[in-house]
């Protein structure tokens, strides 16, 4: 989508971003010179404490002795977008507007992503401006060629030809320049504490904090977006799988694309499943040709794409492949991805990661960083890196299109490169506030909790013997990162905070809440036709949801990973529950949900049910689910419930590799962790307390809308 006509415009913008002077460092007496905050998503206090006590994590154990270690209260629900939005703003979800990974689109029953929406970027607000731009380009062509040919004898003849070329250029440009292009926007509300600090001259560097895309402007600082950045298909991670194995051609539950291939000899021509072409009616998928040739004797596959060749061996990842998707002769999109070759024979299996934006060659409607060219500068410093928000290949592994070794190689390589980015920015030393978040600890627990839990349905003694230490390895790498930061960047004038946004629990059983609602009479079906499972492609492309629901008799429905909604008259399109009946229906639902039992174990899967006004406050309270559920260890809302699906059974064993979770669990069983290199005279902290604390450290006024409470005075009084 990058327009060559805009090239010089972006060059000028890039210069403006980096030409402003840096504010001087504060010299206020008694104020710490710097604050470093390192987030490690999903680190669980139970595992952490066990491994600290066993001597596996020496740097964190030392920090516990010399400073402070506490459990950190998380959010309801304990989901990364919700928790990190609260962390960054110091406000409860009723003010940040993020209540779940998914939310209900207002005025409908459709699910959508809570962090991100899509608007339009208007290039030509009026047709006459589009006409003028096209005409101007045609005249430029005319003038340039007339100048080059002005010495020719038959200038009139040449001028006529040039005029025809100019007219042709005008007509083509009229077709090539769209008046509008799609542009993402953040649904998160509120100002982050680094924004507030930067406005007061505190230079800040922020690396991959979730729920921060498109990137927030940070005055005088730098920011790289994290969780929330989509791939080029505008999803959170569409992988492709090329195979000779006969498989269903439908999309996988997690949105992966299955592409069958049939070799002629050792060669095959197939395609890359690219982004949608927004310039054409119906937005068809772009599918440029991809050539593959295999060499079984060497275990290699040669990948040919757009005139370049890449070699990948069995059990290895390819180098970064540069993809160019042409929308028309003027507009194109640059992207990157990597292939992983599982097997050549007897069955060919080739995995392609989600195709993501090239950090140095961005279209005009996408920014991955602030300033805009910061993402490209990082690529120049550390090499190409993953830009997608969901960094790890969890979807491919869960759908068994990627093997264990491929997943782990990618995860640890990705985390190592993220550490390289963080250290590169820390070493510049031109900041006073540094905030960075690592996510590998979360993703590896999602996929390998099954190796720690012998009663998990997906537990295998053989797999546990091979991969039972991979979560510990991830924690060790966290400990080593902390050790490097302590040694190189933390002195007496530096405050170091380390935290996780939530803990982890075993995910043994799926709970299909909509199925339960049907059995209890809260949700009524018209019939049993088309009750296929929903998938992420339905979500991203707004496929049909709830096809068999009789809304005229339905009182409640579940959507997202913890939410339940009342079919309220005047709010839902076909609501039937009146405002007068609202509290009674909710009250009955609470009783019935808390009475629910797993017939196999006689266990109550739901610990608590919260009315939204009991736990949230603020201008967006009305957008929250009417009820928020907190589950017990072992139980989680099913993927199908999250997407509005209605499977046959209420309880289903989770025998998938995605075996650990936190999203649906009650906050009381999913606390995060907190460290500080100074003594904190507090018994408990909440994740929302970090934002006001940082502002108080730097002498920045704490806004009244912040719900968190600063604990800086407790640090000062308890300091060694």
């Amino acid at each position: 989508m990058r327009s060559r006509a805009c090239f010089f415009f972006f060059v000028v913008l890039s210069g403006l971003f980096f030409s402003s002077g840096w504010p001087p460092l504060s010299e206020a007496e008694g104020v710490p010179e710097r604050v470093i905050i390192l987030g490690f998503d999903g680190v669980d206090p139970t595992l952490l404490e066990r491994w600290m006590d066993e001597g596996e994590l020496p740097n964190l154990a030392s920090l516990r002795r010399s400073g402070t270690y506490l459990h950190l209260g998380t959010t309801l629900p304990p989901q990364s977008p919700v928790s990190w939005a609260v962390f960054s703003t110091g406000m409860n979800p009723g003010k940040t507007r993020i209540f779940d990974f998914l939310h209900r689109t207002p005025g409908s029953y459709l699910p959508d992503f809570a962090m991100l929406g899509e608007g339009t970027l208007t290039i030509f607000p009026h047709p006459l401006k589009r006409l003028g731009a096209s005409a101007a380009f045609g005249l430029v062509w005319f003038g340039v060629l007339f100048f080059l040919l002005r010495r020719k004898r038959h200038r009139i003849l040449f001028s006529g030809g040039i005029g025809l070329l100019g007219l042709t250029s005008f007509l083509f440009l009229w077709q090539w320049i769209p008046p509008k292009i799609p542009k993402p926007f953040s649904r998160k509300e509120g100002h982050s504490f680094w924004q507030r600090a930067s406005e007061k001259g505190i230079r800040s560097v922020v690396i991959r904090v979730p729920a921060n895309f498109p990137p927030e402007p940070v005055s005088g600082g730098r920011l790289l977006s994290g969780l929330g950045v989509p791939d080029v298909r505008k999803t959170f991670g569409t992988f492709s799988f090329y195979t000779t194995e006969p498989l269903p051609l439908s999309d996988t539950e997690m949105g992966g694309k299955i592409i069958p291939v049939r070799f002629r000899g050792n060669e095959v021509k197939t395609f890359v499943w690219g982004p949608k072409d927004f310039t054409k009616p119906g937005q068809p998928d772009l599918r440029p040709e991809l050539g593959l040739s295999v060499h079984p004797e060497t275990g290699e596959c040669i990948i040919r794409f757009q005139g370049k060749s890449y070699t990948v061996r069995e059990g290895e990842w390819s180098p970064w492949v540069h993809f160019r998707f042409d929308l028309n002769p003027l507009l194109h999109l640059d992207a990157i991805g990597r292939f992983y070759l599982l097997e050549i024979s007897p069955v060919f299996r080739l995995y392609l990661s989600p195709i993501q934006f090239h950090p140095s060659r961005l279209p005009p409607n996408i920014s991955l960083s602030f300033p805009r060219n910061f993402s490209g500068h990082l690529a120049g410093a550390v090499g190409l890196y993953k830009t997608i928000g969901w960094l790890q290949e969890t979807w491919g592994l869960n759908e068994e299109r990627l093997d264990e070794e491929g997943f782990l190689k990618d995860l640890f390589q990705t985390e190592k490169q993220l550490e390289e980015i963080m250290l590169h920015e820390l070493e510049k030393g031109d900041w006073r506030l540094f905030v960075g978040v690592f996510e590998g600890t979360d993703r590896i627990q999602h996929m390998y909790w099954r190796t720690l839990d012998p009663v998990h349905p997906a537990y295998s003694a053989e797999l546990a013997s091979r991969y039972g230490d991979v979560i510990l390895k991830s924690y060790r790498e966290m400990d080593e990162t902390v050790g490097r930061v302590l040694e190189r960047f933390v002195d007496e004038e530096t405050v170091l905070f380390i935290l996780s946004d939530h803990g982890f629990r075993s995910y043994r059983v799926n709970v299909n809440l909509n199925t339960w609602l049907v059995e209890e009479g809260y949700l009524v079906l018209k019939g049993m036709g088309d009750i296929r499972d929903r998938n992420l492609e339905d979500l991203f492309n707004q496929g049909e949801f709830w096809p068999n629901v009789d809304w005229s008799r339905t009182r409640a429905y579940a959507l997202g990973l913890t939410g339940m909604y009342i079919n309220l008259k005047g709010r839902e399109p076909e609501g039937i529950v009146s405002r007068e009946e609202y509290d009674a229906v909710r009250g009955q639902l609470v009783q019935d949900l808390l009475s629910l039992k797993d017939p196999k174990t006689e266990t109550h899967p739901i610990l608590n049910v919260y009315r939204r006004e009991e736990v949230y406050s603020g201008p967006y309270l009305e957008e929250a689910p009417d009820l928020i559920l907190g589950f017990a260890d072992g139980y989680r809302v099913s993927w199908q419930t999250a997407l509005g699906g209605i499977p046959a059974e209420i309880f289903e064993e989770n025998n998938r590799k995605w075996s650990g979770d936190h999203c649906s669990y009650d906050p009381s069983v999913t606390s995060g962790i907190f460290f500080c290199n100074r003594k904190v005279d507090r018994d408990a902290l909440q994740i929302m307390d970090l934002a006001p604390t940082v502002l108080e450290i730097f002498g920045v006024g704490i806004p009244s809308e912040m719900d968190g409470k600063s604990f800086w005075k407790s640090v000062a009084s308890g300091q060694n």
Side-chain angles (χ1 to χ4, degrees):
M1 287 177 284
R2 186 161 52 97
S3 170
R4 298 181 185 88
C6 294
F7 173 77
F8 291 105
F9 173 72
F10 288 120
V11 169
V12 172
L13 276 183
S14 301
L16 288 175
F17 277 129
F18 279 93
S19 61
S20 58
W22 294 107
L25 295 178
S26 171
E27 296 179 356
E29 187 175 353
V31 177
E33 187 65 26
R34 302 177 191 275
V35 174
I36 298 174
I37 304 177
L38 297 180
F40 293 91
D41 201 298
V43 169
D44 181 70
T46 302
L47 294 183
L48 181 80
E49 290 161 15
R50 180 207 307 173
W51 289 329
M52 283 195 296
D53 293 342
E54 293 175 356
E56 298 284 0
L57 310 173
N59 295 300
L60 290 167
S62 175
L63 194 57
R64 177 175 60 172
R65 291 190 299 271
S66 62
T68 299
Y69 167 72
L70 295 169
H71 289 195
L72 185 66
T74 185
T75 52
L76 176 71
Q79 298 176 22
S80 294
V82 182
S83 299
W84 289 114
V86 168
F87 158 80
S88 65
T89 63
M91 303 190 305
N92 82 86
K95 297 174 182 177
T96 68
R97 209 179 185 180
I98 306 293
F99 301 100
D100 196 294
F101 270 100
L102 302 176
H103 79 149
R104 179 204 54 197
T105 303
S108 78
Y109 299 105
L110 293 177
D112 201 355
F113 272 97
M115 288 182 284
L116 197 62
E118 183 176 277
T120 57
L121 174 64
T122 301
I123 300 177
F124 299 110
H126 193 277
L128 288 178
K129 292 190 175 182
R130 186 181 179 199
L131 176 67
S134 300
F137 193 86
L139 288 172
V140 168
W141 264 111
F142 180 90
V144 168
L145 292 177
F146 184 85
F147 174 78
L148 293 174
L149 299 171
R150 69 189 187 283
R151 300 182 184 277
K152 297 289 183 181
R153 294 179 181 177
H154 304 290
R155 188 162 55 184
I156 294 176
L157 181 61
F158 280 108
S159 298
I162 295 166
L164 181 62
L165 180 60
L167 177 62
T168 304
S169 298
F170 158 72
L171 292 174
F172 273 114
L173 278 174
W174 179 256
Q175 297 295 321
W176 295 342
I177 303 178
K180 297 179 180 180
I181 59 176
K183 183 175 178 60
F185 65 87
S186 173
R187 288 197 170 102
K188 187 188 81 173
E189 297 289 341
H191 292 286
S192 300
F193 64 82
W194 48 81
Q195 283 185 297
R196 298 184 186 277
S198 69
E199 290 167 359
K200 299 299 182 181
I202 308 300
R203 188 186 304 168
S204 304
V205 174
V206 182
I207 304 295
R208 288 195 59 88
V209 176
N212 199 357
F213 173 79
E216 303 166 331
V218 183
S219 178
R222 301 182 292 279
L223 183 147
L224 181 67
S225 292
L227 181 65
V229 178
D231 61 18
V232 297
R233 287 185 56 79
K234 299 189 290 188
T235 78
F236 278 5
T238 298
F239 66 86
S240 296
F241 185 67
Y242 301 85
T243 184
T244 55
E245 183 180 1
L247 291 172
L249 298 183
S250 60
D251 297 323
T252 67
E253 184 178 44
M254 295 295 106
K257 300 292 186 182
I258 307 299
I259 304 174
V261 294
R262 182 173 296 177
F263 284 87
R264 291 186 176 181
N266 289 339
E267 305 279 338
V268 67
K269 287 186 177 179
T270 179
F271 62 90
V272 172
W273 211 309
K276 294 184 177 298
D277 185 351
F278 68 88
T279 68
K280 293 183 174 61
Q283 299 191 11
D285 293 323
L286 293 170
R287 298 185 182 185
E289 184 177 283
L290 176 73
L292 304 173
S293 60
V294 294
H295 302 275
E297 67 281 0
T298 61
E300 293 178 334
C301 176
I302 309 299
I303 298 162
R304 296 182 176 88
F305 185 76
Q306 295 176 337
K308 294 185 178 180
S309 296
Y310 308 85
T311 300
V312 59
R313 288 182 167 81
E314 285 182 315
E316 299 292 340
W317 285 92
S318 73
W320 285 108
V321 176
H322 178 200
F323 298 97
R324 173 176 164 141
F325 299 101
D326 291 312
L327 285 80
N328 60 41
L330 183 65
L331 301 179
H332 72 268
L333 171 65
D334 289 292
I336 56 174
R338 294 200 303 159
F339 290 88
Y340 181 80
L341 182 59
L342 291 91
E343 182 182 14
I344 291 178
S345 180
V347 176
F348 179 78
R349 296 185 297 148
L350 179 68
Y351 176 90
L352 172 58
S353 71
I355 300 174
Q356 46 211 279
F357 294 105
H358 192 298
S360 305
R361 304 176 185 180
L362 294 168
N365 60 332
I366 295 292
S367 292
L368 302 177
S369 64
F370 181 88
R372 177 183 168 84
N373 56 2
F374 176 49
S375 61
H377 280 271
L378 287 175
V382 305
L384 287 176
Y385 56 90
K386 287 190 174 186
T387 59
I388 194 171
W390 192 272
L391 284 176
Q392 286 75 26
E393 306 292 331
T394 55
W395 314 127
L397 181 61
N398 200 45
E399 298 288 347
E400 298 187 2
R401 303 296 174 241
L402 181 65
D403 62 22
E404 314 278 359
E405 292 298 324
F407 174 82
L408 291 169
K409 285 178 181 178
D410 175 77
L411 182 143
F412 287 113
Q413 178 183 338
T414 299
E415 288 298 284
K416 182 57 66 177
Q417 190 172 34
L418 180 55
E419 183 194 56
E420 188 178 353
I421 289 173
M422 299 247 194
L423 295 178
H424 174 267
E425 287 301 303
L426 283 165
E427 285 170 352
K428 288 183 177 178
D430 59 357
W431 48 269
R432 293 194 64 203
L433 172 61
F434 181 93
V435 188
V437 174
F438 294 86
E439 298 167 8
T441 42
D442 176 271
R443 309 300 187 259
I444 204 165
Q445 290 178 114
H446 275 305
M447 307 313 295
Y448 288 93
W449 202 271
R450 58 198 159 100
T451 66
L452 302 182
D453 180 6
V455 299
H456 193 283
Y459 177 81
S460 160
E462 179 184 354
L463 281 174
S465 67
R466 293 179 61 188
Y467 301 113
D469 64 342
V470 296
I471 295 177
L472 172 57
K473 180 181 178 181
S474 178
Y475 277 52
R476 284 173 178 156
E477 292 204 350
M478 168 183 64
D479 185 77
E480 291 168 3
T481 298
V482 170
R484 282 187 276 272
V485 171
L486 281 168
E487 180 181 359
R488 295 162 60 179
F489 305 109
V490 177
D491 55 23
E492 293 181 355
E493 296 184 349
T494 301
V495 175
L496 173 66
F497 295 134
I498 297 170
L499 74 146
S500 70
D501 54 330
H502 53 72
F504 253 81
R505 284 293 176 266
S506 188
Y507 169 22
R508 305 182 190 108
V509 180
N510 290 298
V511 182
N512 293 311
L513 288 176
N514 284 314
T515 307
W516 176 82
L517 287 170
V518 169
E519 292 195 5
E520 294 296 314
Y522 288 100
L523 191 152
V524 180
L525 299 180
K526 298 174 184 176
M528 298 306 291
D530 189 24
I531 52 173
R532 66 174 177 84
D533 287 351
R534 265 46 202 171
N535 59 47
L536 287 184
E537 190 71 8
D538 289 318
L539 175 65
F540 289 115
N541 290 310
Q542 292 297 283
E544 186 179 8
F545 288 89
W546 312 104
N548 300 308
V549 173
D550 184 350
W551 294 110
S552 67
R553 295 189 292 159
T554 290
R555 292 178 292 159
Y557 60 100
L559 195 67
L561 291 165
T562 57
M564 193 165 284
Y565 296 86
I566 304 301
N567 192 25
L568 187 62
K569 188 181 297 184
R571 184 185 70 182
E572 267 71 7
E574 301 178 56
I576 65 168
V577 177
S578 68
R579 295 282 176 180
E580 293 75 21
E581 298 170 312
Y582 176 75
D583 284 333
V585 172
R586 280 202 308 174
Q588 188 61 53
L589 261 173
V590 170
Q591 290 183 31
D592 293 344
L593 285 165
L594 292 174
S595 299
L596 175 64
K597 282 187 179 182
D598 181 347
K600 286 187 177 180
T601 63
E602 292 298 310
T603 300
H604 290 281
I606 299 172
L607 288 181
N608 288 298
V609 181
Y610 303 88
R611 294 169 175 84
R612 63 185 182 182
E613 67 274 13
E614 297 171 348
V615 289
Y616 304 142
S617 63
Y620 303 105
L621 174 64
E622 293 300 314
E623 296 184 21
D626 297 296
L627 296 173
I628 303 94
L629 282 57
F631 279 74
D633 185 14
Y635 295 87
R636 204 205 78 166
V637 170
S638 68
W639 293 111
Q640 285 303 306
T641 295
L643 295 172
I646 309 173
E649 303 294 332
I650 296 174
F651 295 98
E652 296 175 324
E653 282 192 347
N654 173 31
N655 53 17
R656 307 289 290 275
K657 295 183 179 182
W658 186 294
S659 50
D661 215 286
H662 50 85
C663 295
S664 303
Y665 296 108
D666 195 78
S668 63
V669 299
T670 47
S671 297
I673 59 100
F674 171 83
F675 288 90
C676 180
N677 64 330
R678 302 189 181 196
K679 295 293 185 182
V680 179
D681 190 18
R682 293 278 290 273
D683 295 326
L685 295 175
Q686 299 294 317
I687 194 169
M688 67 172 58
D689 296 337
L690 271 294
T693 300
V694 172
L695 294 183
E696 186 173 3
I697 288 174
F698 288 121
V700 177
I702 299 173
S704 59
E705 62 264 29
M706 279 193 174
D707 300 300
K709 305 300 180 186
S710 172
F711 56 84
W712 179 239
K713 290 184 174 62
S714 300
V715 175
S717 63
Q719 183 182 343
N720 286 340

